[in-house]
């Protein structure tokens, strides 16, 4: 991700201020701050709290921004209400003109989300160079998706660095200790724990240090960081960000809800800013923070790869494996796609190719590059037309008709990865940007696709799933006598008209599983990489199968490929840390799924891709510059990769399932302790299986400590993986992981421990004797 100039959405509270600090630490430039303010007190009561915005402490935000941070401040009074409260926020095409003027000449909107749209639109007029928007969303999908929706309409990038960053307790510690933030409570809504007259105006740090927040968590299940709305804060100081002064509250008043003595706000009558100086101290702190953040991620992954490689068997040398001969004959006949319709409305469409390869006639090398990309686009448009024809014939009597919205997964195979950018624009127009399918994209090399074509695609379609995702709440008033399409969903002519019409309704009324769910995070965050292009991180089918998009070794915060730690570049290769980071990203996505998350050990099967660059770097280590095609160290590549994959699956790549959502026991560790070891948690995410220490747990459960296991394949997780080496991967990556997993619910019903991890040595050569 390039450095962006961004506007910070600030409420005055700890989350938005710390998120702004994180955006700056990741190299982005703060231009101004934006704030959605509540109407005047006489027009606003405690019952009018917004679903989207914090309103408590709003009186002090202007001073906080202009006098403490020292950037321009833009504010808009909230005129809309929470009208569309479904998780999927959508508007009609005329939403940009939906605002009306009140008697004062100000725009008035129906939904409060449109207040944010108008405010950011105004800021763009004054600062056209702004490309990013930061926010403090942590776990609220409701809030994040609305911010992403507004950003997409204004062609801005959403920055949500706190999204699923860590557990609630760990996040609170980061805010108070790492951010060195001083904040006070300005709203409480947690009876009988936090009481207005007792706790409003009190220091958040003091409440944590005295153990009050932990006591409330243990006794009442309160979120320590207030993510459940238990409390809201106002930041008085953040040394790295408040460079010019700290906020001082001079006159305050506690306002309680007459009907509930546990809900109240701290109304600020008067406040002032205590000056600090010229801001140089804050700049110095930010520089130190940025250097520390950059080193931490690569160091942890490098150490994990070194540990995994310590389990390499002695036989894993640089010996070569014979490369099989390939058939140089190219199949020039026309191809028809394979369409397989299965029970339950599931359909797999493969071998989608243009009828013939698009022709190019050029004279110069530069023109040839452009002509090849244009030819790839023409082939994709032919595939798109063919797919539309298939959709029209799959379930012709369904309403709504089968469409690209029903596709949950796409494989896109290109002859060259350079064609991706040209094709992606048309791909986006076809599949859309809201709840799109997950996708894996790789380049297989020139001449590898049938007939010299440049594009091939396959996809998985679930009947009615697009409308299901966009349907909102289940219609509870439907007739109980409606036909349920439970016996035949195949669309093969035997299905009755009544069954076809009722398929979607039957899915909506099914209380046992969801037909389809989509995890689509479009914000840059610390959680997992934002998808490069219009596709989702994961799509789940019938609450049982999870299809993950192809994951490459991007560091989520910076969206750059991870590199080995500077001190260990000689012992660890770039492709190795990228492979482990790919697994870590996959584990983070699984942990973010609804319904209990998921773990890498729930994987039913997967593909591990390597680029030619990974193989060449390994060959340089073994043979220097003297290697030939037949001497490439295939065996070492597969063996090293298998050890890294085994370690990632066994430890869930360092991700403790459920810790962010508060399901797993929260074991806050200091920097000296190092990262928490997921092997210390049982399958339900409980530390030491609920026992007091690891030794007791191992003794009672009859399992050995991970440190005592032998360094061989006998401890390998039972996950079948196919490893493939290809010419190119997206973003110049050297490794990519693509997985199909069982949901946590389904995995609990399956025997996931049988079998053994398998790998396949797959290698090909093109006509130039270059290994692929």
């Amino acid at each position: 991700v390039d450095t962006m100039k961004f506007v910070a959405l600030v409420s005055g509270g700890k989350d938005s201020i710390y998120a702004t600090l994180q955006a700056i630490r990741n190299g982005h430039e703060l231009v101004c701050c934006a704030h959605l303010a509540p109407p005047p007190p006489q027009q606003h009561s405690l019952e009018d709290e917004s679903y989207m915005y914090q309103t408590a402490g709003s009186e002090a935000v202007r001073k906080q921004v202009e006098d403490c941070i020292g950037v321009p401040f833009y504010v808009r009074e909230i005129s809309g209400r929470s009208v569309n409260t479904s998780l999927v926020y959508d508007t009609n095409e005329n939403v940009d003109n939906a605002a009306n003027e009140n008697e004062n000449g100000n725009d008035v909107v129906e939904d409060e989300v449109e207040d944010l749209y108008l405010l950011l639109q105004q800021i763009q007029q004054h600062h056209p160079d702004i490309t990013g928007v930061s926010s403090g969303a942590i776990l609220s999908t409701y809030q994040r998706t609305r911010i992403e929706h507004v950003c997409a309409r204004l062609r801005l990038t959403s920055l949500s660095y706190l999204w699923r960053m860590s557990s609630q307790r760990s996040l609170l510690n980061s805010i108070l200790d790492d951010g060195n933030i001083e904040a006070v409570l300005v709203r409480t809504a947690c009876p009988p724990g936090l009481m207005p007259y007792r706790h409003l105006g009190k220091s958040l740090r003091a409440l944590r240090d005295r153990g009050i927040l932990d006591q409330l968590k243990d006794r009442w299940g309160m979120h320590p960081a207030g993510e459940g709305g238990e409390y809201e804060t106002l930041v008085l100081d953040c040394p790295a960000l408040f460079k010019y002064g700290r906020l001082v509250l001079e006159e305050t008043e506690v306002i309680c809800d007459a009907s509930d003595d546990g809900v109240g706000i701290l109304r600020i009558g008067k406040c002032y800013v205590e000056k600090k100086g010229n801001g140089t101290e804050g700049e110095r702190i930010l520089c130190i923070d940025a250097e520390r953040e950059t080193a931490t991620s690569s160091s942890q992954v490098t150490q994990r790869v070194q540990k995994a490689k310590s389990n390499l068997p002695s036989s894993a040398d640089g010996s070569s494996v014979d490369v099989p001969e390939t058939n140089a004959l190219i199949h020039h006949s026309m191809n028809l796609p394979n369409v397989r319709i299965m029970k339950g409305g599931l359909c797999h469409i493969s071998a989608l190719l243009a009828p013939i390869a698009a022709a190019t006639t050029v004279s110069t090398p530069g023109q040839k590059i452009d002509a090849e990309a244009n030819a790839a686009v023409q082939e994709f448009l032919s595939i798109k037309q063919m797919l539309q024809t298939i959709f029209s014939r799959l379930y012709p009597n369904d309403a709504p008709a089968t469409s690209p919205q029903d596709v949950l997964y796409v494989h896109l195979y290109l002859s060259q990865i350079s064609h991706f950018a040209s094709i992606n624009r048309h791909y986006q127009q076809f599949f859309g940007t809201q709840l799109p399918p997950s996708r894996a994209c790789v380049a297989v090399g020139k001449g590898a696709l049938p007939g010299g074509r440049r594009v091939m695609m396959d996809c998985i379609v679930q009947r009615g799933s697009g409308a299901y995702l966009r349907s909102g709440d289940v219609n509870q008033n439907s007739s109980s006598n409606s036909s349920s399409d439970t016996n035949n969903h195949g669309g093969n002519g035997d299905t009755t008209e009544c069954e076809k019409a009722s398929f979607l309704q039957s899915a909506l009324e099914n209380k046992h599983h969801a037909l389809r769910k989509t995890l689509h995070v479009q914000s840059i965050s610390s959680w997992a990489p934002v998808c490069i292009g219009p596709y989702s991180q994961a799509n789940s089918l019938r609450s049982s199968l999870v299809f993950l998009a192809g994951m490459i070794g991007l560091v989520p915060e910076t969206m750059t490929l991870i590199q080995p730690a500077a001190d260990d570049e000689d012992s660890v290769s770039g492709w190795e840390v990228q492979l482990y980071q790919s697994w870590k990203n996959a584990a983070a996505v699984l942990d973010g799924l609804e319904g209990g998350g998921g773990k890498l050990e729930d994987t039913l099967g997967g593909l591990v891709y390597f680029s030619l660059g990974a193989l060449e770097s390994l060959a340089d280590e073994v043979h220097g510059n003297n290697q030939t095609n037949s001497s490439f160290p295939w065996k070492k590549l597969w063996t090293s990769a298998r050890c890294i994959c085994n370690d990632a699956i066994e430890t869930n790549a360092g991700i403790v399932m459920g810790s962010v959502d508060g399901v797993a026991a929260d074991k806050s560790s200091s920097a000296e302790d190092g990262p928490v070891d997921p092997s210390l948690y049982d399958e339900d995410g409980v530390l030491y299986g609920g026992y007091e220490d690891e030794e007791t747990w191992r003794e009672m459960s009859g399992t050995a400590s991970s440190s005592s296991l032998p360094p061989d394949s006998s401890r390998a997780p039972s996950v079948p993986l196919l490893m493939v080496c290809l010419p190119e991967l997206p973003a110049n990556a050297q490794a990519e992981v693509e997985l199909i997993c069982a949901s946590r619910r389904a995995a609990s019903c399956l025997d996931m421990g049988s079998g053994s991890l398998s790998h396949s040595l797959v290698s090909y050569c093109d006509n130039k004797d270059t290994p692929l």
Side-chain angles (χ1 to χ4, degrees):
V1 175
D2 296 329
T3 298
M4 285 183 278
K5 293 185 176 182
F6 75 98
V7 51
L9 300 181
V10 294
S11 64
K14 59 179 176 53
D15 299 339
S16 61
I17 293 298
Y18 189 58
T20 304
L21 180 60
Q22 288 295 96
I24 296 173
R25 284 176 171 175
N26 280 283
H28 306 301
E29 179 184 345
L30 176 64
V31 174
C32 61
C33 292
H35 177 64
L36 277 299
Q42 60 272 22
Q43 304 175 23
H44 177 256
S45 66
L46 291 179
E47 289 81 7
D48 295 330
E49 287 300 319
S50 165
Y51 280 38
M52 273 288 293
Y53 316 113
Q54 173 182 322
T55 56
S58 178
E59 306 93 329
V61 178
R62 180 178 291 276
K63 287 184 179 295
Q64 194 186 60
V65 172
E66 293 181 339
D67 299 336
C68 296
I69 301 176
V71 296
F73 178 66
Y74 294 87
V75 62
R76 174 182 168 83
E77 184 179 296
I78 302 171
S79 63
R81 300 178 67 85
S82 303
V83 178
N84 181 348
T85 58
S86 65
L87 287 181
V88 179
Y89 182 80
D90 199 2
T91 58
N92 57 49
E93 296 178 355
N94 298 321
V95 71
D96 296 355
N97 303 317
N100 300 312
E101 290 188 355
N102 62 11
E103 61 272 14
N104 297 322
N106 298 320
D107 289 331
V108 178
V109 297
E110 183 178 2
D111 196 296
E112 62 180 354
V113 176
E114 300 310 308
D115 284 308
L116 175 60
Y117 176 86
L118 293 175
L119 177 58
L120 291 179
Q121 190 178 54
Q122 173 194 351
I123 292 172
Q124 280 186 311
Q125 294 172 359
H126 291 87
H127 303 279
D129 54 346
I130 283 177
T131 56
V133 179
S134 76
S135 66
I138 298 175
L139 290 175
S140 173
T141 301
Y142 180 94
Q143 184 185 59
R144 175 186 55 77
T145 54
R146 280 155 175 74
I147 294 172
E148 291 174 348
H149 188 276
V150 169
C151 286
R153 287 157 58 191
L154 294 172
R155 299 182 182 276
L156 297 169
T157 299
S158 173
L159 306 173
S160 294
Y161 283 107
L162 304 193
W163 180 254
R164 300 190 65 84
M165 183 178 182
S166 61
S167 67
Q168 289 280 300
R169 187 62 161 83
S170 298
L171 178 60
L172 179 61
N173 290 343
S174 297
I175 292 172
L176 295 179
D177 301 331
D178 176 52
N180 200 21
I181 283 176
E182 295 297 334
V184 296
L185 270 60
V186 292
R187 183 177 186 270
T188 60
C190 184
L194 295 174
M195 307 301 292
Y197 287 104
R198 180 184 301 175
H199 296 114
L200 284 176
K202 293 296 189 294
S203 164
L204 179 61
R205 184 183 299 275
L207 293 175
R208 180 203 62 173
D209 293 346
R210 288 162 56 190
I212 293 176
L213 298 179
D214 288 333
Q215 292 173 18
L216 295 177
K217 177 182 183 295
D218 295 339
R219 186 170 183 180
W220 307 107
M222 189 193 89
H223 290 75
E227 182 62 11
E230 295 89 346
Y231 67 86
E232 293 173 354
T233 61
L234 178 68
V235 174
L236 304 182
D237 195 13
C238 175
L241 191 59
F242 288 21
K243 296 178 288 185
Y244 301 102
R246 69 185 307 275
L247 195 64
V248 179
L249 305 184
E250 190 172 5
E251 295 180 6
T252 61
E253 177 187 8
V254 174
I255 307 295
C256 285
D257 188 337
S259 62
D260 191 342
D261 62 358
V263 178
I265 63 170
L266 187 72
R267 186 160 292 163
I268 301 168
K270 189 176 182 181
C271 62
Y272 65 93
V273 173
E274 189 179 84
K275 297 296 183 182
K276 289 184 178 179
N278 57 10
T280 55
E281 178 63 16
E283 293 291 348
R284 185 188 68 81
I285 296 173
L286 277 176
C287 290
I288 295 174
D289 289 343
E291 293 173 359
R292 182 186 60 195
E293 291 287 328
T294 302
T296 301
S297 180
S298 61
S299 177
Q300 291 178 351
V301 172
T302 301
Q303 291 173 12
R304 195 69 233 181
V305 170
Q306 288 174 326
K307 183 176 180 180
K309 290 176 65 177
S310 67
N311 295 325
L312 274 172
S314 57
S315 60
D317 53 17
S319 59
S320 61
V321 173
D322 292 338
V323 179
E325 294 294 330
T326 57
N327 189 352
L329 297 177
I330 297 178
H331 184 57
H332 288 279
S333 64
M334 292 182 62
N335 285 70
L336 292 176
N338 300 314
V339 181
R340 184 184 180 190
I341 301 174
M342 294 164 274
K343 289 184 177 181
L346 194 63
C347 179
H348 184 216
I349 307 172
S350 60
L352 281 161
L353 294 156
I356 57 172
T360 59
T361 55
V362 293
S363 56
T364 66
Q367 290 177 332
K368 184 176 181 180
I369 294 175
D370 293 338
E372 282 292 312
N374 291 333
V377 169
Q378 293 304 313
E379 290 185 21
F380 177 79
L381 294 177
S382 296
I383 291 173
K384 168 184 156 183
Q385 185 176 8
M386 185 180 301
L387 198 53
Q388 287 174 322
T389 302
I390 294 173
F391 288 159
S392 68
R393 297 178 181 178
L394 273 180
Y395 309 103
N397 297 315
D398 275 9
T402 304
S403 73
Q405 293 182 344
D406 298 314
V407 178
L408 61 93
Y409 204 91
V410 171
H411 280 109
L412 187 61
Y413 304 101
L414 306 177
S415 61
Q416 296 174 265
I417 208 69
S418 59
H419 297 162
F420 173 81
S422 301
I423 291 173
N424 202 44
R425 178 169 58 89
H426 300 279
Y427 182 99
Q428 177 172 328
Q429 291 174 351
F430 185 57
F431 287 105
T433 58
Q434 189 178 66
L435 304 176
S438 302
R439 181 179 73 188
C441 176
V442 294
V444 297
K446 293 182 179 179
L449 295 176
R453 293 173 177 83
R454 302 164 183 85
V455 184
M456 184 171 76
M457 193 168 80
D458 66 56
C459 59
I460 300 174
V461 181
Q462 172 56 56
R463 178 185 183 187
S465 65
Y468 178 91
L469 288 175
R470 295 160 177 82
S471 62
D473 296 332
V474 177
N475 181 7
Q476 301 294 339
N477 298 322
S478 60
S479 171
S480 60
N481 295 323
S482 61
S483 173
S484 59
D485 188 12
T486 57
N487 296 321
N488 189 342
H489 300 312
N492 56 6
D494 298 330
T495 308
T496 67
E497 295 298 320
C498 182
E499 287 176 325
K500 289 177 179 177
S502 68
F503 183 88
L504 176 59
Q505 189 61 35
S506 297
L508 291 170
E509 293 174 349
N510 191 315
K511 304 297 183 183
H512 301 287
H513 61 250
L515 180 65
R516 176 183 167 193
K517 284 190 176 181
T518 298
L519 180 59
H520 186 210
V521 178
Q522 303 174 71
S523 301
I524 297 175
S525 67
S526 304
W527 163 67
V530 62
C531 293
I532 304 175
Y535 63 98
S536 299
Q537 283 90 352
N539 269 264
S540 59
L541 181 65
R542 297 184 182 274
S543 302
S544 300
L545 285 178
V546 182
F547 297 83
L548 265 65
M551 297 288 165
I552 59 177
L554 293 170
V555 178
E557 297 90 336
T558 61
M559 289 297 290
T560 56
L561 290 170
I562 192 169
Q563 300 297 329
D567 297 337
D568 299 294
E569 289 180 337
D570 294 335
S571 60
V572 176
S573 301
W575 73 267
E576 292 174 319
V577 292
Q578 286 185 33
L579 175 59
Y580 191 88
Q581 183 69 36
S582 299
W583 281 103
K584 185 176 181 180
N585 292 337
V589 171
L590 286 172
D591 185 52
L593 296 173
E594 292 184 31
K599 300 178 73 174
L600 294 176
E601 65 181 24
D602 301 334
T603 302
L604 299 174
L607 282 162
V608 180
Y609 299 104
F610 301 99
S611 71
L612 179 59
L615 186 62
E616 289 176 338
S617 67
L618 196 59
D620 289 340
E621 293 177 17
V622 177
H623 302 293
N625 296 322
N626 299 320
Q627 77 272 8
T628 63
N629 180 49
S630 60
S631 65
F632 272 99
W634 297 101
K635 186 175 181 180
K636 186 171 183 179
L637 174 67
W638 307 132
T639 308
S640 298
R642 184 174 61 173
C643 281
I644 295 172
C645 292
N646 285 353
D647 184 85
I649 297 169
E650 183 183 6
T651 63
N652 206 41
I655 303 296
V656 179
M657 186 191 76
S659 63
V660 175
D661 299 290
V663 178
D666 187 5
K667 179 180 180 295
S668 300
S669 60
S670 63
E672 291 76 11
D673 295 332
V676 176
D677 185 357
S679 67
L680 301 180
Y681 292 77
D682 68 8
E683 61 182 11
D684 296 319
V686 179
L687 182 65
Y688 304 143
Y691 293 96
E692 60 183 4
D693 54 40
E694 181 183 6
E695 184 178 355
T696 304
W697 176 37
R698 300 295 184 189
E699 182 180 350
M700 297 301 293
S701 61
T703 58
S705 168
S706 58
S707 60
S708 65
L709 290 173
D712 57 31
S713 59
S714 63
R715 68 187 187 116
S718 17
V719 175
L721 298 175
L722 174 66
M723 297 184 180
V724 185
C725 195
L726 294 172
E728 297 175 286
L729 298 176
N732 293 318
Q734 294 187 338
E736 180 175 351
V737 174
E738 173 196 335
L739 304 176
I740 300 178
C741 304
S743 68
R744 187 99 282 244
R745 170 186 167 188
S748 66
C749 304
L750 300 173
D751 180 11
M752 303 292 288
S754 59
S756 60
L757 183 145
S758 60
H759 62 286
S760 177
L761 307 182
V762 181
S763 53
Y764 299 94
C765 293
D766 64 10
N767 294 332
K768 298 180 181 180
D769 293 328
T770 302
L772 300 180

